[in-house]
């Protein structure tokens, strides 16, 4: 029987869309609060960030996105109760990955300080550290949950085997609650490599980042690689048929997977947020989804 995978272990429900804060690097706290309030009003109740956000997209420092969110919450503390606050750690620029117990402890304490909160609702290992034993990662995360610093833990950009290895060492009361992976009509690997199947098997929340293909399918990205013209033509046809934008069709395609993923919307433009929020009202047919898959892969399904 299918269960609702958008519910965290503590019972809190996550909406089908999440607001991603990779590009939230403004020093204007009032403007940052305005964007966050719009996102929350549109049902994007999971606010998704990471400690490394701030080193690109015009940012100036490691932790800038978390610090900006922290200033917003200090200015408007009531917003904290409206959101599921998610962040990530384990990237140490120049190393680049460190999931050793000492580093994770210090990284999570630093995130708590920047965010100005006592507990993070969902904390992800941002990238797998292949030089740390999963038992050490599991012991560290379980300890942080037991001490109340983390409500739930997840992984990001991990393989099926890496998730299984971590799960083997976590206690039953501390599951891997979420797996955040790149998934879009331009990047179908999680559909093929067992990632989404594993999420359904374990009733784990799948969180999809870059649902618009990093701008490859919307011409919204800078210096993007050439788009798949056949796929673009199909997306435009579907958009016309449904009376929505191409970007909305792309988000609706990700939402159509039976694992009931949460889609991270990374735009900072509130008008675009409102447009993309309409994807939850678009129901693509089975045939339309398979047409997108075939056009993306460039070969007919057997």
């Amino acid at each position: 029987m299918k269960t609702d995978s958008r519910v965290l272990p503590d019972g809190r429900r996550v909406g089908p869309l999440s607001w991603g804060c990779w590009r939230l690097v403004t020093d204007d706290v009032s403007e940052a609060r305005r964007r966050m309030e719009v996102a929350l009003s549109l049902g994007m109740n999971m606010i998704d960030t990471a400690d490394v956000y701030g080193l690109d997209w015009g940012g100036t420092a490691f932790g800038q996105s978390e610090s900006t969110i922290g200033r917003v919450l200090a200015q408007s503390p009531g917003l904290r109760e409206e959101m599921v606050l998610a962040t990530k750690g384990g990237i140490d620029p120049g190393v680049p990955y460190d999931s050793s117990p000492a580093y994770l402890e210090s990284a999570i304490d630093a995130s708590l300080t920047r965010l100005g909160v006592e507990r993070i609702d969902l904390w992800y290992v941002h990238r797998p550290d292949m030089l740390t034993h999963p038992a050490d990662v599991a012991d560290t995360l379980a300890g942080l949950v037991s001490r109340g610093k983390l409500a739930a833990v997840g992984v990001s950009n991990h393989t099926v085997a890496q998730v299984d290895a971590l799960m083997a060492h976590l206690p039953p009361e501390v599951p891997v609650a979420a797996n955040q992976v790149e998934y879009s009509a331009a990047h179908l690997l999680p559909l093929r490599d067992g990632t989404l199947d594993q999420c359904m098997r374990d009733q784990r929340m799948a969180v999809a980042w870059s649902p618009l293909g990093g701008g490859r399918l919307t011409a919204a990205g800078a210096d993007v690689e050439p788009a798949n013209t056949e796929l673009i033509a199909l997306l435009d046809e579907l958009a016309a048929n449904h009376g929505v934008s191409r970007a909305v069709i792309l988000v609706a395609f990700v939402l159509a997977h039976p694992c009931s993923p949460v889609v991270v919307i990374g735009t900072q433009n509130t008008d675009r947020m409102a447009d993309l929020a309409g994807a939850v009202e678009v129901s693509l047919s089975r045939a339309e989804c398979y047409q997108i898959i075939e056009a993306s892969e460039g070969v007919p399904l057997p």
Side-chain angles (χ1 to χ4, degrees):
M1 181 178 67
K2 179 181 177 181
T3 59
D4 189 346
S5 62
R6 297 189 186 122
V7 177
L8 290 172
D10 63 3
R12 277 181 297 176
R13 186 175 300 276
V14 176
L17 302 180
S18 165
W19 186 45
C21 297
W22 181 18
R23 302 178 180 90
L24 184 67
V25 292
T26 179
D27 289 325
D28 186 337
V29 178
S30 295
E31 173 59 21
R33 185 188 72 246
R34 185 186 73 85
R35 297 175 196 173
M36 186 179 294
E37 289 172 342
V38 170
L40 292 169
S41 72
L42 292 169
M44 303 178 193
N45 71 320
M46 185 160 76
I47 305 301
D48 181 273
T49 188
D51 59 7
V52 75
Y53 293 172
L55 288 181
D56 48 21
W57 286 102
T60 59
F62 185 95
Q64 186 179 5
S65 176
E66 287 185 330
S67 295
T68 300
I69 293 171
R71 288 194 292 271
V72 169
L73 294 179
Q75 189 181 89
S76 303
L79 293 176
R80 181 67 182 94
E81 299 306 312
E82 298 181 32
M83 68 177 64
V84 173
L85 184 56
T87 191
K88 315 173 196 69
I91 294 180
D92 185 5
V95 174
Y97 310 129
D98 191 344
S99 288
S100 63
Y103 183 81
L104 291 190
E105 289 267 4
S106 64
I108 289 166
D109 282 343
S111 288
L112 288 165
T113 297
R114 284 189 292 265
L115 292 165
V117 298
E118 295 183 352
R119 185 177 71 171
I120 294 164
D121 299 326
L122 174 60
W123 188 88
Y124 299 90
V125 181
H126 202 162
R127 295 273 179 178
D129 173 16
M130 294 167 281
L131 301 181
T132 297
H133 197 288
D136 291 333
V137 180
D139 288 347
T140 304
L141 296 180
L144 288 160
V145 170
S146 69
R147 299 202 302 274
K149 293 186 177 183
L150 308 177
V153 299
V155 295
S156 182
N157 307 299
H158 282 53
T159 66
V160 168
Q162 288 166 336
V163 177
D164 278 338
L166 180 59
M167 280 292 296
H169 297 283
L170 283 168
E173 66 272 18
V174 185
V176 175
N179 188 0
Q180 185 171 145
V181 295
E182 181 180 5
Y183 178 54
S184 70
H187 186 85
L188 297 174
L189 183 61
L191 193 65
R192 298 293 197 180
D193 69 0
T195 297
L196 299 183
D197 298 303
Q198 183 188 50
C199 287
M200 291 187 288
R201 182 195 72 188
D202 297 341
Q203 301 177 25
R204 177 175 300 117
M205 185 168 65
V207 182
W209 63 268
S210 197
L212 306 184
R216 297 192 299 279
L217 300 179
T218 61
D223 301 321
V224 295
E225 62 192 67
N228 177 332
T229 55
E230 179 183 349
L231 178 57
I232 292 295
L234 173 62
L235 293 170
D236 284 343
E237 178 184 341
L238 294 175
N241 291 343
H242 287 271
V244 296
S245 67
R246 184 195 303 169
V248 167
I249 293 296
L250 287 165
V251 175
F253 169 75
V254 176
L255 289 172
H257 192 275
C259 72
S260 300
V262 174
V263 181
V264 179
I265 303 299
T267 183
Q268 299 295 300
N269 183 307
T270 53
D271 290 338
R272 192 163 174 76
M273 286 183 203
D275 177 53
L276 294 174
V280 300
E281 304 297 333
V282 176
S283 296
L284 295 177
S285 70
R286 185 181 301 267
E288 288 171 330
C289 289
Y290 277 121
Q291 286 174 342
I292 291 173
I293 292 170
E294 287 187 322
S296 176
E297 296 181 329
V299 292
L301 290 165

